[in-house]
Amino acid sequence: MDKKEVRVRFAPSPTGDLHVGNIRTALFDWAYARHTGGTFIFRIEDTDRERVTDEYIQAAIDTLKWLGLTWDEGPEVGGPNGPYLQSQRLDLYATWAAKFLEQKDAYKCYCSADELEAVREAQRAANQAPGYNGNCRDLSADQIVKFEAEGRKPVIRMRMPDGGTTFTDLIRGEVSFDHNFVPDFVLVRGDGSPLYTLAVAVDDVLMKVTHVLRGEDLLSSTPRQIRVYQAMGVKPEDYPVFAHLPFVMGQDNTKLSKRNGEVSIAWYRQAGYLPEAICNYLALLGWSPGDDLENISMKELTELFTVERVHSSPARFDMKKLEAINGDKIRALTIDEFMTWALPFLTQAGVISGTPEELALVKQALPIIQERITTLAEIPPMLKFLFVKEFAVDADSLPKISDSQSKEVLKVSYEQLQSLGDWTHESIEGVLRAALIDGMALKPRIAFGAVRIAVTGSHISPPLFESMQLLGRDKSLARIKASL
Ligand code: GLU
């Protein structure tokens, strides 16, 4: 058999911001395409335009770009199999649905919502599996005329044959569905709008998708999609190969939700996570590169990613691990890269306005905090003390320097620092150690703690002596004096 070019798609229905689960799928799709030298298709499944808005679609596009998951076919870049928004492909679904009716693979179903509910009720009462009972499968011409005359708007239903569907999932192995549990399903609503099962299957065929890597929650829709391929006349050897990725669970092993970990990727972006850290961490949710390797680059991910290394058991979301990876990625940045990431956070927080002097000072200050932070959002509070116009000690730190011992520490520090020759972090440290630790026999935490609060306004700051050097002699001394 010819080796087919790999074509994978990420096909979200953005009814909100993309979340961790969506992006884990997108990442695996992208990595698989890049690993195999195949094509990564990005398709927007927006047939439900009440819930999928233009704004969410744009946000999804922006999120993928921000993460560096570039696509070869899809919105903005186009491609030979477009359009890539399902709302622009409605005529295709209508054409195929009509063909299925003609082939008798599908039929019109006139049952009303109340009638369907009554069927479900009866099934529940009889302890039967719920699902359509096939009432309209074989209507006579007279019955159809009667229903039409009543003004009923039919849906189009796919006829599921007796028997079952078996396919080989790359992650789960052989999976079988008994059609007793896969009732005839709706392809097109009474108003003519297509359902997911129809649109997804038609598009996967028309876009020549070879591999469907997606969340396990969609496993049960696979036999229905295979039924659509059959009705489209696709040969079994040309069906896309399925790989259903394991669930991502929250920290407490229940379904991932806002409460136990999941928040939108937009939230992580705002909270100061680097795209590379998010991708690195999400890559480990259900896949492992082997050798206990945990810190990997996007390039390594594409080199190492294989579906064989995806687990079938659920993965657990661990915020602490994501934080640790984010810290590692921040430390690995060059100062210029770090600057690029830090500046928007500093300007948005109103810490700097972006003058050349400010930028020069930020550049000097960043190396002293790079080792200490886990998210970019920690930068503004850490560096604020260098830029504030009206300096004041934080309300919660003020009591910590109001006692007599702290006052003494500040007084001695002021006197010693005043006569200090050159103002470097080494000389500042030398003189303060001599006076406070050796001279006053204080513990460093107590002694330097008071100076830290007086100079930076907070008990949490970058390293003290470097901070004082950056702040400069005049401001440092003026702040200590003001605290006295
Ligand atoms: N549009 C579907 C969703 O967001 C996914 C389609 C698929 O991957 O098959 O849930």
Side-chain angles (χ1 to χ4, degrees):
M1 192 176 88
D2 284 356
K3 203 164 165 284
K4 271 195 284 189
E5 184 217 359
V6 167
R7 293 176 58 82
V8 226
R9 88 304 195 273
F10 172 54
S13 306
T15 53
D17 285 324
L18 296 185
H19 55 75
V20 167
N22 298 130
I23 293 302
R24 199 270 313 252
T25 300
L27 181 68
F28 285 24
D29 284 324
W30 174 86
Y32 189 63
R34 293 295 170 259
H35 179 79
T36 54
T39 300
F40 179 46
I41 305 164
F42 180 19
R43 179 174 76 226
I44 305 281
E45 305 214 319
D46 63 338
T47 51
D48 181 357
R49 288 302 297 215
E50 266 169 38
R51 295 176 62 225
V52 180
T53 62
D54 285 345
E55 201 185 337
Y56 289 140
I57 293 174
Q58 191 55 49
I61 292 173
D62 291 345
T63 297
L64 245 61
K65 278 193 204 164
W66 179 72
L67 290 166
L69 305 180
T70 48
W71 54 98
D72 309 305
E73 291 180 28
E76 295 186 358
V77 305
N81 305 287
Y84 294 89
L85 259 66
Q86 287 190 330
S87 59
Q88 295 170 5
R89 304 171 61 83
L90 298 178
D91 50 337
L92 289 168
Y93 314 132
T95 306
W96 280 103
K99 191 154 194 288
F100 299 162
L101 281 176
E102 196 186 298
Q103 292 169 177
K104 305 249 178 304
D105 283 312
Y107 59 91
K108 288 186 182 174
C109 164
Y110 292 87
C111 294
S112 69
D114 288 345
E115 286 161 352
L116 293 174
E117 181 48 39
V119 169
R120 271 193 294 270
E121 194 51 52
Q123 286 165 335
R124 265 194 293 271
N127 250 333
Q128 287 168 353
Y132 186 63
N133 64 355
N135 200 37
C136 296
R137 263 192 157 204
D138 301 299
L139 295 177
S140 66
D142 288 350
Q143 283 170 306
I144 293 174
V145 169
K146 179 174 160 282
F147 284 142
E148 294 277 346
E150 287 171 13
R152 295 188 183 224
K153 289 260 164 287
V155 301
I156 300 178
R157 262 186 211 281
M158 187 61 109
R159 203 184 287 275
M160 280 309 275
D162 291 342
T165 300
T166 297
F167 63 94
T168 303
D169 184 286
L170 289 185
I171 297 166
R172 258 140 254 280
E174 199 174 277
V175 182
S176 293
F177 287 90
D178 177 344
H179 289 183
N180 283 321
F181 302 99
V182 189
D184 293 354
F185 57 97
V186 179
L187 296 165
V188 180
R189 293 189 189 84
D191 65 4
S193 59
L195 272 103
Y196 159 72
T197 324
L198 172 64
V200 74
V202 166
D203 283 351
D204 283 343
V205 172
L206 299 185
M207 295 182 180
K208 306 178 188 72
V209 168
T210 59
H211 293 75
V212 173
L213 275 68
R214 60 179 180 184
E216 192 183 331
D217 51 325
L218 293 163
L219 183 65
S220 64
S221 68
T222 310
R224 288 187 275 267
Q225 287 164 34
I226 289 178
R227 176 72 187 100
V228 177
Y229 304 154
Q230 287 165 348
M232 290 177 81
V234 181
K235 293 199 289 297
E237 61 269 29
D238 292 330
Y239 295 168
V241 175
F242 288 90
H244 288 92
L245 308 173
F247 280 119
V248 180
M249 312 300 277
Q251 316 237 10
D252 53 4
N253 268 338
T254 60
K255 196 167 175 287
L256 189 63
S257 73
K258 261 213 163 69
R259 191 179 43 74
N260 60 13
E262 180 216 56
V263 257
S264 69
I265 294 296
W267 182 89
Y268 285 98
R269 184 175 179 176
Q270 269 196 340
Y273 287 84
L274 295 173
E276 182 142 333
I278 295 176
C279 290
N280 185 154
Y281 177 65
L282 293 185
L284 304 176
L285 283 181
W287 172 79
S288 62
D291 297 334
D292 287 336
L293 205 58
E294 294 217 313
N295 192 328
I296 54 165
S297 65
M298 295 297 266
K299 188 163 171 290
E300 286 165 323
L301 172 61
T302 61
E303 282 161 11
L304 298 171
F305 187 84
T306 60
V307 178
E308 288 74 49
R309 296 202 85 107
V310 177
H311 319 296
S312 57
S313 50
R316 189 140 55 85
F317 190 78
D318 178 352
M319 192 74 181
K320 286 270 166 293
K321 195 156 162 187
L322 170 56
E323 278 172 16
I325 290 178
N326 202 52
D328 288 344
K329 299 284 182 195
I330 289 178
R331 282 185 283 285
L333 296 173
T334 65
I335 280 301
D336 286 335
E337 289 165 344
F338 193 22
M339 265 301 259
T340 309
W341 286 111
L343 290 180
F345 280 82
L346 287 163
T347 30
Q348 265 155 39
V351 170
I352 60 168
S353 58
T355 64
E357 296 75 37
E358 285 173 337
L359 298 189
L361 189 51
V362 171
K363 194 160 186 175
Q364 284 178 289
L366 286 178
I368 68 172
I369 61 168
Q370 193 167 12
E371 289 294 319
R372 298 185 139 65
I373 58 171
T374 48
T375 68
L376 302 169
E378 291 167 55
I379 300 173
M382 281 239 179
L383 294 189
K384 189 178 70 187
F385 76 96
L386 287 171
F387 301 94
V388 282
K389 303 273 177 314
E390 317 260 317
F391 177 78
V393 170
D394 289 351
D396 60 334
S397 296
L398 201 54
K400 298 199 173 89
I401 53 165
S402 305
D403 58 303
S404 57
Q405 188 184 49
S406 299
K407 289 221 150 68
E408 187 59 23
V409 165
L410 293 174
K411 193 162 144 278
V412 171
S413 304
Y414 184 77
E415 286 161 7
Q416 295 296 318
L417 289 168
Q418 231 188 354
S419 50
L420 187 63
D422 43 321
W423 190 261
T424 64
H425 67 90
E426 291 96 344
S427 67
I428 299 167
E429 177 167 6
V431 81
L432 289 184
R433 273 193 190 282
L436 305 176
I437 313 296
D438 306 339
M440 292 174 70
L442 292 172
K443 292 216 166 65
R445 197 175 51 81
I446 306 268
F448 300 144
V451 182
R452 179 189 307 280
I453 292 172
V455 171
T456 69
S458 165
H459 58 281
I460 303 160
S461 83
L464 177 61
F465 311 116
E466 281 90 342
S467 295
M468 291 173 76
Q469 177 181 336
L470 285 174
L471 188 63
R473 176 199 296 273
D474 293 349
K475 281 190 184 162
S476 300
L477 286 173
R479 287 182 187 183
I480 297 176
K481 190 163 179 200
S483 298
L484 286 165

